[in-house]
Amino acid sequence: MAARSGGFLLLLLLLGLAARGPAAAAAAKMKVVEEPNSFGLNNPFLPQTSRLQPKRDPSPLSGPAHLFRLSGKCFSLVESTYKYELCPFHNVTQHEQTFRWNAYSGILGIWHEWEISNNTFRGMWMRDGDSCRSRSRQSKVELTCGKSNRLAHVSEPSTCVYALTFETPLVCHPHSLLVYPALPAALQHRWDQVEQDLADELITSQGYEKSLRALFEEAGYLKTPEDSDSVREGGAKALAFQTLENCSEAHRELWKEVRRLRSLLTQHGIPYAQAAETPPSEHGGPRTPTDGTAEQLRGDPGRRGNTL
């Protein structure tokens, strides 16, 4: 009897090991893949119109030729709840790293021009970013010596103006950011002549600075005032409604988007404050007064029509 019980227990033990064997093997082969968290950047509730929309194209490549190898590459830095991304000679962007359905993503500047002082490239200006109150966001990128290419620091010294520090071994040589060696031979010759004119007192210090600026503008390192004005005007025109029909069409599209978002909120049981809205059909077309009193125009201190 004892032998039969022992055999039965041994059989149960063998069956248990056999059952655990494949499970243990499967557990050993199990691989947990951790996907990178995109937070709100690819949120399906975001409309396509929320994608980043630059106001203009970046300026052409300019400056020291050995820095051109940075073009087409991007470098990121996460600080607090924001991810900053610098793409030299292209743009600077900011992405909010939260789970909010409307997490902010925006452009902090588009490659525009160099900042030059003491005949040295001091920084890269990224201008004409997303609107910020009555102006556009802009960023200055300072290049410093480092062991590797990396975005080291981001700050906002004043409202909507950002300061970035980019470390790279490409600027460790003491002459790596000098302007004169980067110029074409013809412009170097003109610079030599300007220096000689200043030494011979043929031009003043103010004339010397103006001549150098003209050289830098011709080389593409700086933008002329006319170029900067045309960029700003182009950005303003892109945001303006040229006709009443364009304005009405934009309002209809906005109304459709509002209804879509409300439907999503209702579908997911998210409460929201429903303000009174006027459908697009009630905006278009002239209004006819219902009585004999003429409508007073905004800013008009008197009444329209004959008041005698």
Side-chain angles (χ1 to χ4, degrees):
M1 184 69 178
R4 293 178 59 185
S5 299
F8 182 74
L9 291 175
L10 179 60
L11 178 61
L12 289 178
L13 179 61
L14 292 175
L15 290 175
L17 290 175
R20 292 176 58 187
K29 294 181 180 180
M30 184 180 296
K31 182 178 180 181
V32 178
V33 179
E34 184 177 353
E35 292 289 341
N37 198 336
S38 60
F39 295 91
L41 302 185
N42 298 314
N43 195 306
F45 298 123
L46 282 178
Q48 292 297 320
T49 54
S50 295
R51 305 296 181 184
L52 301 184
Q53 298 178 352
K55 296 179 181 178
R56 61 170 178 84
D57 293 330
S59 299
L61 284 173
S62 66
H66 62 277
L67 296 181
F68 292 175
R69 68 188 70 180
L70 296 175
S71 178
K73 300 179 181 179
C74 296
F75 308 88
S76 61
L77 173 68
V78 176
E79 286 194 353
S80 184
T81 58
Y82 289 97
K83 176 182 178 182
Y84 299 90
E85 191 168 55
L86 166 66
C87 302
F89 301 105
H90 191 67
N91 64 19
V92 177
T93 56
Q94 179 188 41
H95 308 282
E96 184 180 358
Q97 303 286 278
T98 67
F99 289 98
R100 296 193 304 119
W101 69 273
N102 60 342
Y104 173 77
S105 290
I107 299 176
L108 304 186
I110 302 171
W111 164 236
H112 187 67
E113 64 180 353
W114 287 95
E115 178 178 302
I116 298 176
S117 64
N118 196 25
N119 302 330
T120 303
F121 294 104
R122 295 298 183 186
M124 306 175 70
W125 272 106
M126 309 282 190
R127 305 189 190 275
D128 306 306
D130 288 349
S131 298
C132 178
R133 299 179 182 176
S134 60
R135 55 179 176 171
S136 297
R137 301 177 190 271
Q138 57 181 333
S139 303
K140 178 185 175 182
V141 182
E142 180 183 1
L143 305 178
T144 61
C145 176
K147 295 182 179 180
S148 61
N149 295 325
R150 74 183 190 99
L151 181 57
H153 181 67
V154 178
S155 63
E156 188 177 4
S158 59
T159 304
C160 303
V161 178
Y162 303 84
L164 290 77
T165 301
F166 181 72
E167 295 181 356
T168 174
L170 298 176
V171 299
C172 290
H173 192 279
H175 297 164
S176 59
L177 291 177
L178 292 181
V179 178
Y180 186 89
L183 287 169
L187 294 182
Q188 288 181 353
H189 178 71
R190 284 175 51 185
W191 192 341
D192 295 339
Q193 186 60 50
V194 170
E195 294 286 350
Q196 187 62 47
D197 290 344
L198 179 64
D200 295 339
E201 298 183 352
L202 298 178
I203 57 175
T204 63
S205 297
Q206 185 177 5
Y208 171 80
E209 295 296 335
K210 287 184 177 180
S211 298
L212 286 188
R213 179 173 180 87
L215 280 174
F216 300 156
E217 290 175 354
E218 186 172 341
Y221 303 157
L222 301 178
K223 293 297 181 182
T224 64
E226 293 78 11
D227 290 339
S228 298
D229 290 342
S230 64
V231 167
R232 284 192 291 268
E233 291 173 0
K237 290 179 180 178
L239 299 176
F241 298 116
Q242 301 295 330
T243 64
L244 178 60
E245 182 180 356
N246 291 342
C247 182
S248 300
E249 178 64 25
H251 185 266
R252 284 192 291 269
E253 293 298 324
L254 181 61
W255 179 252
K256 288 169 57 178
E257 183 63 21
V258 168
R259 288 187 296 178
R260 188 185 73 85
L261 292 176
R262 284 179 175 175
S263 175
L264 282 174
L265 292 174
T266 303
Q267 178 182 351
H268 292 274
I270 302 175
Y272 63 93
Q274 186 170 357
E277 297 285 350
T278 305
S281 59
E282 298 183 16
H283 280 282
R287 291 180 295 175
T288 303
T290 56
D291 56 14
T293 304
E295 182 182 7
Q296 182 174 341
L297 295 177
R298 180 178 300 175
D300 187 352
R303 294 184 180 275
R304 297 181 60 190
N306 186 6
T307 58
L308 296 178

